[in-house]
Amino acid sequence: MLYYLFEYLEKFDLPLLCLQTKEGLFRAAYELVRDVSRENVKYIEVRFAPMLSISQGLTCEEVIASVVEGLKEGEKKHGVYASAIVCAMRHHSLEQNLEMLEVARSYVGNGVCALDLAGDESAFPTSQFRPLFKKATEWGIPFTIHSGETGNVDNIQEAIDLGAKRLGHGIALEKSSKLRALCKEKGIGIEMCPTSNLQTKAVDNMEDYPLEMFLREGLLVSIHTDNRTVSGTDLQKEQAYFDNRVVEICTRNAIETAFTTEKIKEELRGHLS
């Protein structure tokens, strides 16, 4: 399982070559909003890792600013609410990730909505990054954490203990009724990405996919794309794995657990009525 996730992550090297200039970052952010608007998406939170775009001389500040500008231009022209979740990377040092968060802090509420921790979960346990999330909590920055993608229950427990509002993937929750109950009690969102989970062998097939089991137990599961480019997918393709009833429940859950204002949530609920 670790091998497949590592192989999946290697595929990001190619698109990252296009994300090393202000123009490339702006265009990628803008065109993403444009593209999802054509798929009837009304709200999007875009994950990206700022420190992966500094290899050709940009500063972290310039990277975040360029992405935020692209998202705002997309909002203005295409009527989609768009903001960024900045990703700390597991293979980066704690100091690098804290530096990134310090820069992103000034954009929270103005183009940036949250923090994430992404990368090779098995090689770099979440516990190594406790100071990062302590600082995020101190600064009032909400966060989601990639957790349980490779079967690691300990990373899920750690994410819950740290105060994560959502868990990325969360597949390993199927191993622990205690943690499922805890997620339900705390109202923690579970961001599930079917195509990616199949590609990384987090599950062998959709018959074994635990999304509907999680829903039956009252978890706030939502459906996501993970990476549209690497996985060759979009939200409509991800939703097509499930019937309309499941899609509607997951969409409502996505609204409830979104990193946005109650006013925007109410507007989004109106699209479903």
Side-chain angles (χ1 to χ4, degrees):
M1 190 175 297
L2 170 60
Y3 168 77
Y4 289 107
L5 177 59
F6 182 77
E7 185 179 44
Y8 183 86
L9 294 172
E10 284 184 321
K11 303 301 184 289
F12 285 78
D13 292 346
L14 181 58
L16 277 170
L17 293 176
C18 302
L19 301 175
Q20 301 301 323
T21 65
K22 293 180 183 180
E23 295 78 9
L25 289 159
F26 176 92
R27 180 176 176 181
Y30 169 77
E31 291 186 359
L32 174 58
V33 179
R34 180 201 64 194
D35 291 350
V36 300
S37 74
R38 297 168 178 170
E39 300 160 18
N40 201 34
V41 170
K42 304 299 182 184
Y43 176 90
I44 184 171
E45 294 173 357
V46 182
R47 274 176 162 89
F48 83 108
M51 299 302 276
L52 295 181
S53 292
I54 62 172
S55 64
Q56 293 183 18
L58 291 182
T59 65
C60 183
E61 173 81 35
E62 290 171 325
V63 170
I64 294 175
S66 298
V67 169
V68 167
E69 288 169 10
L71 295 177
K72 288 185 175 182
E73 186 69 10
E75 276 192 332
K76 182 171 66 176
K77 291 190 175 179
H78 300 287
V80 177
Y81 289 112
S83 57
I85 298 176
V86 291
C87 293
M89 297 304 298
R90 292 179 184 270
H91 68 283
H92 288 167
S93 68
L94 177 60
E95 291 71 25
Q96 284 177 295
N97 287 322
L98 284 167
E99 175 189 345
M100 182 277 293
L101 186 62
E102 175 74 48
V103 175
R105 179 187 182 190
S106 63
Y107 289 88
V108 173
N110 186 29
V112 169
C113 63
L115 168 69
D116 181 28
L117 177 64
D120 191 341
E121 184 183 350
S122 295
F124 303 94
T126 303
S127 58
Q128 295 180 4
F129 302 93
R130 288 173 185 167
L132 177 70
F133 294 104
K134 181 179 180 182
K135 185 60 69 175
T137 300
E138 178 185 323
W139 288 340
I141 303 171
F143 52 87
T144 177
I145 303 178
H146 276 65
S147 306
E149 185 177 10
T150 58
N152 190 312
V153 175
D154 291 341
N155 279 337
I156 293 179
Q157 181 70 68
E158 183 74 32
I160 294 171
D161 291 344
L162 286 169
K165 301 300 182 184
R166 302 196 316 233
L167 305 178
H169 300 285
I171 298 295
L173 280 169
E174 63 183 334
K175 299 179 180 180
S176 174
S177 59
K178 174 185 174 183
L179 288 180
R180 294 197 299 276
L182 193 56
C183 286
K184 178 181 178 181
E185 175 189 334
K186 292 180 175 292
I188 295 172
I190 313 299
E191 313 159 345
M192 302 195 74
C193 310
T195 297
S196 171
N197 296 149
L198 289 167
Q199 290 171 338
T200 64
K201 303 300 182 183
V203 292
D204 291 328
N205 52 67
M206 286 304 294
E207 286 71 29
D208 296 330
Y209 203 60
L211 183 146
E212 294 190 53
M213 182 263 279
F214 292 170
L215 283 180
R216 287 194 296 272
E217 295 193 11
L219 273 66
L220 295 175
V221 178
S222 48
I223 300 170
H224 302 261
T225 58
D226 198 347
N227 189 273
R228 290 164 59 98
T229 302
V230 172
S231 286
T233 192
D234 58 36
L235 187 58
Q236 292 175 339
K237 290 179 181 177
E238 299 303 308
Q239 293 175 336
Y241 288 109
F242 310 101
D243 64 34
N244 290 339
R245 177 189 61 86
V246 169
V247 170
E248 180 176 350
I249 294 171
C250 287
T251 302
R252 292 188 182 279
N253 289 341
I255 294 171
E256 298 311 312
T257 58
F259 294 124
T260 191
T261 64
E262 184 57 35
K263 180 179 179 181
I264 290 177
K265 289 183 181 183
E266 190 58 35
E267 181 179 334
L268 295 172
R269 293 185 194 107
H271 289 295
L272 297 179
S273 60

